[in-house]
């Protein structure tokens, strides 16, 4: 470690010292430098292309989110050229005096203090909130925003259900509440702007966290009646196809989530776009061979000499010879919901469902193999100490329930060993039909995320009949074809739009400072970019 790095590490170890060191210039503030660079480009674009009478408004809700600011630099150029107004709600991100009608919206929120117009005390809330954490309520004006607070607190607490018990949790909750309060106060003003009869689009990332998820829900409940829609940005599903081997994101997924309320996240594309993709590329319905190449990847870092593999294979063989059903159940990263109001078709939540499967196995002669998600111990996805699936299950499992080590089997290897599989939600939904194994998802979002026609359990007796062998689930050939096509769809430029204008991380692991690729921006200014045109088309045409 260099002397410079040691000094930096020492400063960071003293509470408040690092912030002070940046403030007085002892440590370079790369985030501030990046945002200043973005501002210079934005202001130039505004000076050159701002229309006097805009045809619509695009408002960056880049609250505490510099990546949103950076991503929208090239997109804003294309929007401005098409006659749309572009501004940020955060003070100082760009020129705030271009359009008089945006006064009180553009630059209305002070970064850090989250004060509206700079006149509201930091601890004062503009809106009236009802908060009952145990009852799952964090609501304002009759709209409940609890799920978006819960997921961010769960990430902090490193557990399935975050709480408000520690100082850190309470501090984060209060910060989210102030940010959300400021955002909703500005949203009230945006309704007034809508009286001009022009479409308005609010843009943000991380729509499963507060305060950005609060904006999404507000658009669902209030904004859409005024043609105010929420546009979500994210990276494409690059990590899946690279198996976390690429650290820098090179794509952008963009969707209007207000116009597509059944779309959980932009990188999933949605059923409407999927059906259009199949119509345009019917050959992907026969794309199983290529899809298998994406599926049969060593995501769990399996070693063939693991003795647990032989033991499991032997137990499966014994169950088969005895005529007993064999099932696999797949875990998830516990702190990753990424879905508003996620619940099951039969069970209220993931822990209840997983423990219910264990109970069903214990009441039957079936063999249940439980595989934890490989990402729950991958540093690119989670931090050390995060609650894992094994923590949610009984210490002593029934003899006919096998809990696998993380690296004993890859998921696809289990497909040929079981009669059917269970998953809350996830890419298993489209992987397992391709490898000829029926899969039953439980989350209500699974059918929306993966519109393939997968079987669904509607009651606990249906589950019980399956475990007892009184019923079976089968795999329809059309589901297999659609699943293969869906994997092609997720990788296509219909979903993963090429985007190389900003250096940013492709996983949760940091890659250092962000910067704009100015050479790419100069080329965009001279020649345009069909990929940016595609991004812009998602704003006002769903």
């Amino acid at each position: 470690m260099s002397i410079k790095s040691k000094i930096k590490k020492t400063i960071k170890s003293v509470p408040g010292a690092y912030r002070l060191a940046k403030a007085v210039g002892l440590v370079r503030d790369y985030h501030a430098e990046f945002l200043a660079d973005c501002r210079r480009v934005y202001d130039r674009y505004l000076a050159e292309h701002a229309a006097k009478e805009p045809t619509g408004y695009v408002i960056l809700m880049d609250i505490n989110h510099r990546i949103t600011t950076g991503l929208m630099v090239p997109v804003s150029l294309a929007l401005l050229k098409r006659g749309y107004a572009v501004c940020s709600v955060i003070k100082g991100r760009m020129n705030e005096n271009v359009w008089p009608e945006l006064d009180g919206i553009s630059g209305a929120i002070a970064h850090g203090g989250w004060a509206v117009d700079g006149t509201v005390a930091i601890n004062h809330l503009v809106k009236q909130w009802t908060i009952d954490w145990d009852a799952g309520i964090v609501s304002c004006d009759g709209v409940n925003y609890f799920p978006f607070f819960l997921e961010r607190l769960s990430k902090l607490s490193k557990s399935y259900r975050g709480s408000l018990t520690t100082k850190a949790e309470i501090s984060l909750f209060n910060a989210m509440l102030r940010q959300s309060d400021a955002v909703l106060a500005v949203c009230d003003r945006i309704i007034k702007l809508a009286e001009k009869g022009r479409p308005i689009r609010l843009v943000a990332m991380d729509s499963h966290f507060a305060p950005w998820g609060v904006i999404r829900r507000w658009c669902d409940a209030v904004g859409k009646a005024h043609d105010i829609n929420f546009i979500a940005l994210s990276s494409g599903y690059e990590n899946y196809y690279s198996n976390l081997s690429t650290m820098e994101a090179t794509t952008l997924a963009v969707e209007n989530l207000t116009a597509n309320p059944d779309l959980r996240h932009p990188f999933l594309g949605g059923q409407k776009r999927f059906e259009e993709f199949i119509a345009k590329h019917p050959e992907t319905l026969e794309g199983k061979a290529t899809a298998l190449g994406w599926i049969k990847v060593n995501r769990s870092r399996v070693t063939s000499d693991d003795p647990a593999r032989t033991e499991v294979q032997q137990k499966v063989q014994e169950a088969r010879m005895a005529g007993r059903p064999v099932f696999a159940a797949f875990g998830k990263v516990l702190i990753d919901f990424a879905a508003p109001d996620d619940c099951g078709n039969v069970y209220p939540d993931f822990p209840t469902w997983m423990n219910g499967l264990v109970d069903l196995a214990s009441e039957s002669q079936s063999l249940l193999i439980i595989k934890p998600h490989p990402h729950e111990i991958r540093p690119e996805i989670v931090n050390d100490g995060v609650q894992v699936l094994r923590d949610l299950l009984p210490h002593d499992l029934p003899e006919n329930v096998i809990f696998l080590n993380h690296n004993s089997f890859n998921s696809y290897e289990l497909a040929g060993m079981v009669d059917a599989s269970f998953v809350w939600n996830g890419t298993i939904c489209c992987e397992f039909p391709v490898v000829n194994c029926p899969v039953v998802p439980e989350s209500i979002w699974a059918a929306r995320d993966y519109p393939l026609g997968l079987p669904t359990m509607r009651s606990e007796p249906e589950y019980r009949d399956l475990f007892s062998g009184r019923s079976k689930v089968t795999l329809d050939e059309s589901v297999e074809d659609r699943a293969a096509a869906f994997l092609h769809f997720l990788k296509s430029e219909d979903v993963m739009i090429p985007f190389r204008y900003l250096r940013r991380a492709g996983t949760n692991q940091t890659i250092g400072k962000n910067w704009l690729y100015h050479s790419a921006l100069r080329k965009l200014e001279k020649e345009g970019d069909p990929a940016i045109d595609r991004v812009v088309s998602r704003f006002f045409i769903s």
Side-chain angles (χ1 to χ4, degrees), residues 232-243:
L233 309 178
S234 76
S235 298
Y237 204 10
E238 297 178 56
N239 293 335
Y240 176 80
Y241 296 95
S242 71
N243 193 22

Side-chain angles (χ1 to χ4, degrees), residues 162-453:
S163 62
L164 290 176
T165 55
T166 69
K167 184 178 180 180
E169 289 169 333
I170 294 170
S171 176
L172 175 59
F173 176 82
N174 287 334
M176 287 190 288
L177 191 63
R178 288 198 301 272
Q179 293 166 0
S180 301
D181 184 76
V183 161
L184 290 179
V186 173
C187 283
D188 288 341
R189 300 174 182 182
I190 294 174
I191 292 179
K192 290 289 185 181
L193 177 65
E195 293 175 0
K196 288 187 169 291
R198 299 166 184 164
I200 301 171
R201 301 294 180 260
L202 311 184
V203 186
M205 298 184 72
D206 291 338
S207 58
H208 46 298
F209 289 142
W212 313 287
V214 168
I215 305 165
R216 172 183 181 169
R217 176 144 294 176
W218 179 86
C219 284
D220 288 338
V222 180
K224 67 181 179 183
H226 305 274
D227 200 6
I228 305 170
N229 288 191
F230 180 81
I231 306 295
L233 309 178
S234 76
S235 298
Y237 204 10
E238 297 178 56
N239 293 335
Y240 176 80
Y241 296 95
S242 71
N243 193 22
L244 298 175
S245 63
T246 52
M247 301 307 293
E248 181 178 350
T250 62
T251 64
L252 185 65
V254 183
E255 296 292 349
N256 183 333
L257 298 188
T258 309
N260 300 279
D262 283 342
L263 181 55
R264 178 168 61 90
H265 202 281
F267 75 77
L268 289 164
Q271 181 167 2
K272 177 185 175 183
R273 208 173 296 287
F274 178 46
E275 301 298 347
E276 293 172 350
F277 174 82
I278 291 176
K280 189 167 54 175
H281 302 285
E283 72 280 2
T284 59
L285 291 167
E286 300 176 1
K288 180 176 178 179
T290 303
L292 286 172
W294 298 321
I295 295 169
K296 294 187 175 182
V297 173
N298 190 10
R299 302 185 192 279
S300 297
R301 299 176 176 178
V302 170
T303 55
S304 57
D305 58 351
D306 184 352
R309 289 173 62 87
T310 303
E311 182 181 348
V312 172
Q313 289 166 343
Q314 183 177 347
K315 288 186 176 182
V316 169
Q317 186 177 8
E318 290 172 355
R320 287 253 190 248
M321 292 178 64
R324 296 158 52 204
V326 181
F327 302 110
F330 294 90
K332 66 187 290 292
V333 179
L334 297 184
I335 61 172
D336 182 13
F337 299 93
D341 306 308
D342 194 18
C343 63
N345 293 295
V346 177
Y347 296 92
D349 52 41
F350 174 79
T352 307
W353 169 75
M354 185 60 77
N355 279 281
L357 295 181
V358 172
D359 291 341
L360 288 166
S362 69
E363 297 168 5
S364 70
Q365 297 298 310
S366 61
L367 179 65
L368 176 63
I369 303 169
I370 300 176
K371 176 173 169 46
H373 199 291
H375 288 177
E376 71 176 11
I377 59 170
R378 292 288 293 267
E380 303 94 329
I381 303 297
V382 300
N383 297 318
D384 289 340
V386 169
Q387 187 181 29
V388 295
L389 176 59
R390 191 65 185 88
D391 296 336
L392 298 182
L393 300 177
H395 181 270
D396 296 316
L397 294 171
E399 290 186 2
N400 60 334
V401 175
I402 303 172
F403 193 93
L404 297 177
N405 297 324
H406 284 92
N407 58 352
S408 293
F409 289 89
N410 282 299
S411 298
Y412 70 86
E413 295 179 283
L414 297 177
M417 301 166 58
V418 302
D419 298 300
S421 56
F422 304 101
V423 66
W424 183 257
N425 196 5
T427 47
I428 292 289
C429 291
C430 50
E431 289 179 335
F432 268 43
V434 179
V435 291
N436 298 303
C437 181
V439 57
V440 179
E442 171 63 15
S443 168
I444 60 171
W445 281 92
R448 309 173 197 176
D449 293 349
Y450 305 98
L452 310 174

